[in-house]
Amino acid sequence: MGALQLIRLMQEQEGSYERFERELSDKTALYEYTVLEASGDYGMYYSVPYTNSDNIVEGCIVYPVDELFSWETKRMDGILGVPFRIDAVVLNEQIPIIKQYLYSSLFKD
């Protein structure tokens, strides 16, 4: 469900798919594992895991939704923001240790 909604939003919002592709670079998106989540740091966002050329999950692309709106007005079919990667480097160097579990738990399986 999450992947279908994200792809629909990217089709409707000019330039959003191109931004996603630039961030994805040479990685392969695992759309079937796309989820819609929310956190105090990033608000509401879609998370799309990706693999490297050896088919190993390296991280995810976070695609924020309705970044400029208050929590009460955010919608899962809102305006896509600027996507960014969360990988091992970001997780270990930019996210405080007490919050790392929140962003790494999806990769435990």
Side-chain angles (χ1 to χ4, degrees):
M1 171 82 177
L4 294 175
Q5 180 69 23
L6 176 60
I7 290 169
R8 185 182 67 75
L9 289 174
M10 287 193 288
Q11 289 173 338
E12 293 173 355
Q13 298 176 25
E14 187 174 329
S16 59
Y17 181 74
E18 291 78 11
R19 287 191 299 273
F20 181 82
E21 282 290 302
R22 276 194 302 273
E23 195 60 41
L24 191 60
S25 185
D26 62 338
K27 310 300 181 193
T28 301
L30 299 175
Y31 289 106
E32 64 271 24
Y33 295 102
T34 300
V35 293
L36 177 66
E37 299 190 293
S39 75
D41 294 325
Y42 304 122
M44 189 181 318
Y45 60 91
Y46 289 93
S47 175
V48 184
Y50 61 82
T51 61
N52 61 18
S53 60
D54 295 324
N55 208 28
I56 296 171
V57 175
E58 281 190 345
C60 67
I61 303 292
V62 171
Y63 217 140
V65 181
D66 284 347
E67 292 176 294
L68 304 177
F69 298 107
S70 67
W71 275 99
E72 298 80 30
T73 59
K74 290 179 186 281
R75 299 178 354 187
M76 67 182 281
D77 62 345
I79 299 168
L80 295 172
V82 177
F84 59 93
R85 286 188 196 196
I86 293 184
D87 58 14
V89 173
V90 171
L91 192 61
N92 291 319
E93 295 179 10
Q94 297 177 16
I95 296 177
I97 195 162
I98 60 171
K99 294 182 180 182
Q100 288 177 359
Y101 175 75
L102 294 172
Y103 303 107
S104 64
S105 64
L106 291 174
F107 303 106
K108 70 182 184 318
D109 295 331

